[in-house]
Amino acid sequence: MTEMANYDVIVLGTGPAGLQAAIHAARKKVSVLVMGKETKSSLFHAHVENFCCLFNVSGQDMLDVGRQQAAKFGAQMLEEDVLSVTSNGSLFKMVTESGQELECKSLIVATGTARNKLGVAGEKEYLGKGVSYCVECDANFYKGEEVAVVGGASAAVSGALTLLGYARTVHLVCEELEVADVLKTQLKQSAVVIRENAKVKEIVGQTSVEGLVLDDGSKLEVSGVFIELGAKGLMELATHLGVRLDDEMKYIETNKKMETNIPGVFAAGDICGPPWQMAKAVGEGCVAGLNAATYAKKLSA
């Protein structure tokens, strides 16, 4: 484990909300770290035609410029996913997929909301009946059972390792492992059954999940399927911090300062709810960045 790194503000998310938050926080002369992978932003693959004062520009180009702007004002970038976030008195502590430990005075969550779906038969039908998108929410229901985690990024690998403390057998099904070497080594030294170069064809069962059919025709006899296709998501991170979500448990609730119910935790962008527009994300990012920086400065005074 590396030495603890301390920042005034850490921004989770490298989309327009996160980058705008970083720009405004850094301009207030506080130390800022932006975490996440640029290619995971929904803007990365988009083509923008409805953002004020810009016309016919690629999302990737906009993100590249945003990263340059944030860096110009002093923000640092770390292309890693966060595996855990905890509160330590007035500070927040994070552990990344490579094992780095980070600490900050204020935290901005701008990770977006998209739940990546498999899009296979049985996924929708068995949601809540063996299909889950949150290991840390539902792991306790599978004590002593055989389960599968689908995905090759940090959420899936971290989830599979977590499930070892509950399930009898844990399978990890993925086309390719895409995590830091430290996390990959931890996985391969564990009891998780790794099924790489594999895809899920169908989720099967009667009234609940009874198995997974893979693309090679083989079947895994499991009672639970955890679909974790990206980075650690809102539910996992919010669960540990106690951040209040809306009635449907989809979005983070904030006030006009983009503050959550947890002092020092701010949110911006799609994670705060519709409309799904970059203009809204950028505006909220600006407000969150300014107020997060102000909060951090008050703690330092």
Side-chain angles (χ1 to χ4, degrees):
M1 194 71 72
T2 56
E3 184 178 348
M4 179 81 72
N6 297 281
Y7 296 89
D8 291 314
V9 178
I10 290 182
V11 181
L12 302 182
T14 57
L19 291 175
Q20 192 70 61
I23 289 168
H24 278 81
R27 281 173 60 87
K28 288 184 74 69
K29 305 303 181 183
V30 297
S31 58
V32 178
L33 177 70
V34 183
M35 296 190 62
K37 299 174 182 177
E38 181 184 39
T39 56
K40 301 300 182 182
S41 169
S42 58
L43 180 60
F44 186 81
H45 300 286
H47 201 80
V48 180
E49 294 184 336
N50 64 345
F51 189 74
C52 182
C53 306
L54 288 176
F55 188 73
N56 202 25
V57 61
S58 76
Q60 182 178 353
D61 287 343
M62 294 189 72
L63 290 174
D64 287 343
V65 171
R67 289 169 67 87
Q68 292 172 32
Q69 289 174 312
K72 176 183 177 182
F73 293 118
Q76 297 179 39
M77 306 286 168
L78 180 60
E79 290 213 13
E80 288 192 34
D81 293 333
V82 175
L83 296 186
S84 68
V85 182
T86 54
S87 178
N88 180 19
S90 60
L91 301 176
F92 301 97
K93 178 181 175 182
M94 274 145 279
V95 179
T96 76
E97 60 180 303
S98 70
Q100 292 191 63
E101 290 189 349
L102 310 171
E103 202 169 59
C104 64
K105 299 181 181 69
S106 60
L107 177 67
I108 300 175
V109 184
T111 52
T113 60
R115 279 288 188 188
N116 294 322
K117 303 292 195 300
L118 275 177
V120 299
E123 180 178 9
K124 181 178 179 181
E125 292 81 353
Y126 296 115
L127 180 60
K129 301 174 183 178
V131 171
S132 172
Y133 296 93
C134 180
V135 167
E136 296 187 17
C137 302
D138 298 329
N140 193 55
F141 296 118
Y142 296 90
K143 289 182 177 179
E145 299 188 32
E146 191 158 346
V147 300
V149 180
V150 183
S154 63
V157 174
S158 175
L161 293 171
T162 297
L163 281 163
L164 287 175
Y166 299 87
R168 180 179 76 254
T169 305
V170 180
H171 301 269
L172 179 68
V173 180
C174 64
E175 295 184 63
E176 181 183 4
L177 286 173
E178 300 178 293
V179 294
D181 290 341
V182 171
L183 192 57
K184 185 181 293 186
T185 298
Q186 189 178 353
L187 172 70
K188 292 188 174 181
Q189 291 177 346
S190 76
V192 173
V193 180
I194 305 171
R195 298 180 179 276
E196 206 169 354
N197 302 313
K199 294 177 65 176
V200 175
K201 183 178 180 182
E202 184 180 5
I203 301 171
V204 297
Q206 295 297 319
T207 58
S208 62
V209 170
E210 295 177 2
L212 279 184
V213 178
L214 303 182
D215 56 348
D216 63 0
S218 62
K219 182 180 178 182
L220 300 180
E221 304 286 345
V222 298
S223 58
V225 179
F226 292 86
I227 300 169
E228 298 278 9
L229 299 181
K232 292 286 280 188
L234 162 65
M235 290 300 182
E236 292 90 337
L237 298 177
T239 295
H240 291 290
L241 288 179
V243 171
R244 184 180 299 127
L245 307 181
D246 70 346
D247 292 340
E248 295 182 0
M249 301 294 285
K250 289 183 178 180
Y251 312 118
I252 290 179
E253 290 188 351
T254 61
N255 60 19
K256 290 184 177 181
K257 292 184 177 181
M258 307 315 297
E259 296 171 315
T260 70
N261 63 302
I262 304 299
V265 180
F266 301 78
D270 288 357
I271 205 163
C272 298
W276 318 122
Q277 296 293 332
M278 185 168 59
K280 169 183 173 290
V282 167
E284 290 180 349
C286 166
V287 176
L290 291 171
N291 288 306
T294 298
Y295 180 90
K297 280 188 170 184
K298 287 181 179 178
L299 285 186
S300 301

mmCIF file with all atom_site columns, all heavy atoms in Angstrom, residues 250-261:
data_model
loop_
_atom_site.group_PDB
_atom_site.id
_atom_site.type_symbol
_atom_site.label_atom_id
_atom_site.label_alt_id
_atom_site.label_comp_id
_atom_site.label_asym_id
_atom_site.label_entity_id
_atom_site.label_seq_id
_atom_site.pdbx_PDB_ins_code
_atom_site.Cartn_x
_atom_site.Cartn_y
_atom_site.Cartn_z
_atom_site.occupancy
_atom_site.B_iso_or_equiv
_atom_site.pdbx_formal_charge
_atom_site.auth_seq_id
_atom_site.auth_comp_id
_atom_site.auth_asym_id
_atom_site.auth_atom_id
_atom_site.pdbx_PDB_model_num
ATOM 1   N N   . LYS A 1 250 ? -32.419 6.052  -7.256  1.00 0.00 ? 250 LYS A N   1
ATOM 2   C CA  . LYS A 1 250 ? -31.687 6.189  -8.509  1.00 0.00 ? 250 LYS A CA  1
ATOM 3   C C   . LYS A 1 250 ? -30.709 7.352  -8.503  1.00 0.00 ? 250 LYS A C   1
ATOM 4   O O   . LYS A 1 250 ? -29.640 7.273  -9.104  1.00 0.00 ? 250 LYS A O   1
ATOM 5   C CB  . LYS A 1 250 ? -32.664 6.393  -9.673  1.00 0.00 ? 250 LYS A CB  1
ATOM 6   C CG  . LYS A 1 250 ? -33.473 5.179  -10.061 1.00 0.00 ? 250 LYS A CG  1
ATOM 7   C CD  . LYS A 1 250 ? -34.339 5.502  -11.267 1.00 0.00 ? 250 LYS A CD  1
ATOM 8   C CE  . LYS A 1 250 ? -35.122 4.294  -11.726 1.00 0.00 ? 250 LYS A CE  1
ATOM 9   N NZ  . LYS A 1 250 ? -35.960 4.617  -12.913 1.00 0.00 ? 250 LYS A NZ  1
ATOM 10  N N   . TYR A 1 251 ? -31.099 8.454  -7.854  1.00 0.00 ? 251 TYR A N   1
ATOM 11  C CA  . TYR A 1 251 ? -30.314 9.684  -7.940  1.00 0.00 ? 251 TYR A CA  1
ATOM 12  C C   . TYR A 1 251 ? -29.969 10.221 -6.558  1.00 0.00 ? 251 TYR A C   1
ATOM 13  O O   . TYR A 1 251 ? -30.661 9.954  -5.578  1.00 0.00 ? 251 TYR A O   1
ATOM 14  C CB  . TYR A 1 251 ? -31.092 10.749 -8.725  1.00 0.00 ? 251 TYR A CB  1
ATOM 15  C CG  . TYR A 1 251 ? -31.676 10.247 -10.013 1.00 0.00 ? 251 TYR A CG  1
ATOM 16  C CD1 . TYR A 1 251 ? -33.048 10.252 -10.225 1.00 0.00 ? 251 TYR A CD1 1
ATOM 17  C CD2 . TYR A 1 251 ? -30.846 9.739  -10.999 1.00 0.00 ? 251 TYR A CD2 1
ATOM 18  C CE1 . TYR A 1 251 ? -33.584 9.765  -11.400 1.00 0.00 ? 251 TYR A CE1 1
ATOM 19  C CE2 . TYR A 1 251 ? -31.379 9.251  -12.184 1.00 0.00 ? 251 TYR A CE2 1
ATOM 20  C CZ  . TYR A 1 251 ? -32.749 9.263  -12.378 1.00 0.00 ? 251 TYR A CZ  1
ATOM 21  O OH  . TYR A 1 251 ? -33.276 8.766  -13.547 1.00 0.00 ? 251 TYR A OH  1
ATOM 22  N N   . ILE A 1 252 ? -28.907 11.012 -6.509  1.00 0.00 ? 252 ILE A N   1
ATOM 23  C CA  . ILE A 1 252 ? -28.506 11.658 -5.260  1.00 0.00 ? 252 ILE A CA  1
ATOM 24  C C   . ILE A 1 252 ? -29.310 12.942 -5.070  1.00 0.00 ? 252 ILE A C   1
ATOM 25  O O   . ILE A 1 252 ? -29.472 13.719 -5.999  1.00 0.00 ? 252 ILE A O   1
ATOM 26  C CB  . ILE A 1 252 ? -27.004 11.987 -5.282  1.00 0.00 ? 252 ILE A CB  1
ATOM 27  C CG1 . ILE A 1 252 ? -26.180 10.695 -5.202  1.00 0.00 ? 252 ILE A CG1 1
ATOM 28  C CG2 . ILE A 1 252 ? -26.623 12.912 -4.130  1.00 0.00 ? 252 ILE A CG2 1
ATOM 29  C CD1 . ILE A 1 252 ? -24.677 10.927 -5.248  1.00 0.00 ? 252 ILE A CD1 1
ATOM 30  N N   . GLU A 1 253 ? -29.796 13.153 -3.872  1.00 0.00 ? 253 GLU A N   1
ATOM 31  C CA  . GLU A 1 253 ? -30.528 14.374 -3.554  1.00 0.00 ? 253 GLU A CA  1
ATOM 32  C C   . GLU A 1 253 ? -29.539 15.470 -3.148  1.00 0.00 ? 253 GLU A C   1
ATOM 33  O O   . GLU A 1 253 ? -28.631 15.227 -2.345  1.00 0.00 ? 253 GLU A O   1
ATOM 34  C CB  . GLU A 1 253 ? -31.510 14.133 -2.413  1.00 0.00 ? 253 GLU A CB  1
ATOM 35  C CG  . GLU A 1 253 ? -32.689 13.259 -2.796  1.00 0.00 ? 253 GLU A CG  1
ATOM 36  C CD  . GLU A 1 253 ? -33.730 13.198 -1.686  1.00 0.00 ? 253 GLU A CD  1
ATOM 37  O OE1 . GLU A 1 253 ? -33.449 13.689 -0.571  1.00 0.00 ? 253 GLU A OE1 1
ATOM 38  O OE2 . GLU A 1 253 ? -34.825 12.668 -1.939  1.00 0.00 ? 253 GLU A OE2 1
ATOM 39  N N   . THR A 1 254 ? -29.722 16.656 -3.706  1.00 0.00 ? 254 THR A N   1
ATOM 40  C CA  . THR A 1 254 ? -28.872 17.801 -3.366  1.00 0.00 ? 254 THR A CA  1
ATOM 41  C C   . THR A 1 254 ? -29.725 19.046 -3.188  1.00 0.00 ? 254 THR A C   1
ATOM 42  O O   . THR A 1 254 ? -30.876 19.107 -3.638  1.00 0.00 ? 254 THR A O   1
ATOM 43  C CB  . THR A 1 254 ? -27.839 18.093 -4.475  1.00 0.00 ? 254 THR A CB  1
ATOM 44  O OG1 . THR A 1 254 ? -28.533 18.418 -5.691  1.00 0.00 ? 254 THR A OG1 1
ATOM 45  C CG2 . THR A 1 254 ? -26.928 16.904 -4.713  1.00 0.00 ? 254 THR A CG2 1
ATOM 46  N N   . ASN A 1 255 ? -29.128 20.065 -2.550  1.00 0.00 ? 255 ASN A N   1
ATOM 47  C CA  . ASN A 1 255 ? -29.785 21.362 -2.486  1.00 0.00 ? 255 ASN A CA  1
ATOM 48  C C   . ASN A 1 255 ? -29.220 22.261 -3.591  1.00 0.00 ? 255 ASN A C   1
ATOM 49  O O   . ASN A 1 255 ? -28.496 21.787 -4.472  1.00 0.00 ? 255 ASN A O   1
ATOM 50  C CB  . ASN A 1 255 ? -29.608 21.991 -1.099  1.00 0.00 ? 255 ASN A CB  1
ATOM 51  C CG  . ASN A 1 255 ? -28.138 22.208 -0.744  1.00 0.00 ? 255 ASN A CG  1
ATOM 52  O OD1 . ASN A 1 255 ? -27.262 22.233 -1.619  1.00 0.00 ? 255 ASN A OD1 1
ATOM 53  N ND2 . ASN A 1 255 ? -27.858 22.380 0.540   1.00 0.00 ? 255 ASN A ND2 1
ATOM 54  N N   . LYS A 1 256 ? -29.525 23.543 -3.536  1.00 0.00 ? 256 LYS A N   1
ATOM 55  C CA  . LYS A 1 256 ? -29.079 24.439 -4.607  1.00 0.00 ? 256 LYS A CA  1
ATOM 56  C C   . LYS A 1 256 ? -27.572 24.645 -4.619  1.00 0.00 ? 256 LYS A C   1
ATOM 57  O O   . LYS A 1 256 ? -27.014 25.109 -5.619  1.00 0.00 ? 256 LYS A O   1
ATOM 58  C CB  . LYS A 1 256 ? -29.798 25.790 -4.485  1.00 0.00 ? 256 LYS A CB  1
ATOM 59  C CG  . LYS A 1 256 ? -31.280 25.712 -4.831  1.00 0.00 ? 256 LYS A CG  1
ATOM 60  C CD  . LYS A 1 256 ? -31.937 27.080 -4.797  1.00 0.00 ? 256 LYS A CD  1
ATOM 61  C CE  . LYS A 1 256 ? -33.395 26.997 -5.208  1.00 0.00 ? 256 LYS A CE  1
ATOM 62  N NZ  . LYS A 1 256 ? -34.046 28.341 -5.196  1.00 0.00 ? 256 LYS A NZ  1
ATOM 63  N N   . LYS A 1 257 ? -26.907 24.322 -3.536  1.00 0.00 ? 257 LYS A N   1
ATOM 64  C CA  . LYS A 1 257 ? -25.446 24.410 -3.501  1.00 0.00 ? 257 LYS A CA  1
ATOM 65  C C   . LYS A 1 257 ? -24.802 23.101 -3.944  1.00 0.00 ? 257 LYS A C   1
ATOM 66  O O   . LYS A 1 257 ? -23.585 22.958 -3.866  1.00 0.00 ? 257 LYS A O   1
ATOM 67  C CB  . LYS A 1 257 ? -24.971 24.764 -2.087  1.00 0.00 ? 257 LYS A CB  1
ATOM 68  C CG  . LYS A 1 257 ? -25.348 26.171 -1.629  1.00 0.00 ? 257 LYS A CG  1
ATOM 69  C CD  . LYS A 1 257 ? -24.749 26.449 -0.257  1.00 0.00 ? 257 LYS A CD  1
ATOM 70  C CE  . LYS A 1 257 ? -25.040 27.877 0.189   1.00 0.00 ? 257 LYS A CE  1
ATOM 71  N NZ  . LYS A 1 257 ? -24.434 28.165 1.525   1.00 0.00 ? 257 LYS A NZ  1
ATOM 72  N N   . MET A 1 258 ? -25.618 22.159 -4.390  1.00 0.00 ? 258 MET A N   1
ATOM 73  C CA  . MET A 1 258 ? -25.182 20.816 -4.790  1.00 0.00 ? 258 MET A CA  1
ATOM 74  C C   . MET A 1 258 ? -24.615 20.042 -3.604  1.00 0.00 ? 258 MET A C   1
ATOM 75  O O   . MET A 1 258 ? -23.824 19.118 -3.764  1.00 0.00 ? 258 MET A O   1
ATOM 76  C CB  . MET A 1 258 ? -24.171 20.853 -5.946  1.00 0.00 ? 258 MET A CB  1
ATOM 77  C CG  . MET A 1 258 ? -24.623 21.652 -7.154  1.00 0.00 ? 258 MET A CG  1
ATOM 78  S SD  . MET A 1 258 ? -26.357 21.346 -7.674  1.00 0.00 ? 258 MET A SD  1
ATOM 79  C CE  . MET A 1 258 ? -26.315 19.614 -8.119  1.00 0.00 ? 258 MET A CE  1
ATOM 80  N N   . GLU A 1 259 ? -25.050 20.412 -2.389  1.00 0.00 ? 259 GLU A N   1
ATOM 81  C CA  . GLU A 1 259 ? -24.668 19.688 -1.182  1.00 0.00 ? 259 GLU A CA  1
ATOM 82  C C   . GLU A 1 259 ? -25.596 18.484 -0.995  1.00 0.00 ? 259 GLU A C   1
ATOM 83  O O   . GLU A 1 259 ? -26.795 18.570 -1.252  1.00 0.00 ? 259 GLU A O   1
ATOM 84  C CB  . GLU A 1 259 ? -24.801 20.587 0.051   1.00 0.00 ? 259 GLU A CB  1
ATOM 85  C CG  . GLU A 1 259 ? -23.863 21.780 0.062   1.00 0.00 ? 259 GLU A CG  1
ATOM 86  C CD  . GLU A 1 259 ? -24.195 22.739 1.190   1.00 0.00 ? 259 GLU A CD  1
ATOM 87  O OE1 . GLU A 1 259 ? -25.400 23.034 1.384   1.00 0.00 ? 259 GLU A OE1 1
ATOM 88  O OE2 . GLU A 1 259 ? -23.269 23.205 1.862   1.00 0.00 ? 259 GLU A OE2 1
ATOM 89  N N   . THR A 1 260 ? -25.047 17.383 -0.525  1.00 0.00 ? 260 THR A N   1
ATOM 90  C CA  . THR A 1 260 ? -25.867 16.240 -0.150  1.00 0.00 ? 260 THR A CA  1
ATOM 91  C C   . THR A 1 260 ? -26.193 16.353 1.334   1.00 0.00 ? 260 THR A C   1
ATOM 92  O O   . THR A 1 260 ? -25.844 17.349 1.981   1.00 0.00 ? 260 THR A O   1
ATOM 93  C CB  . THR A 1 260 ? -25.118 14.921 -0.399  1.00 0.00 ? 260 THR A CB  1
ATOM 94  O OG1 . THR A 1 260 ? -24.038 14.792 0.551   1.00 0.00 ? 260 THR A OG1 1
ATOM 95  C CG2 . THR A 1 260 ? -24.555 14.866 -1.825  1.00 0.00 ? 260 THR A CG2 1
ATOM 96  N N   . ASN A 1 261 ? -26.818 15.331 1.882   1.00 0.00 ? 261 ASN A N   1
ATOM 97  C CA  . ASN A 1 261 ? -27.114 15.325 3.317   1.00 0.00 ? 261 ASN A CA  1
ATOM 98  C C   . ASN A 1 261 ? -25.878 15.067 4.171   1.00 0.00 ? 261 ASN A C   1
ATOM 99  O O   . ASN A 1 261 ? -25.918 15.245 5.393   1.00 0.00 ? 261 ASN A O   1
ATOM 100 C CB  . ASN A 1 261 ? -28.172 14.264 3.627   1.00 0.00 ? 261 ASN A CB  1
ATOM 101 C CG  . ASN A 1 261 ? -27.690 12.857 3.300   1.00 0.00 ? 261 ASN A CG  1
ATOM 102 O OD1 . ASN A 1 261 ? -27.330 12.578 2.147   1.00 0.00 ? 261 ASN A OD1 1
ATOM 103 N ND2 . ASN A 1 261 ? -27.686 11.959 4.267   1.00 0.00 ? 261 ASN A ND2 1
#
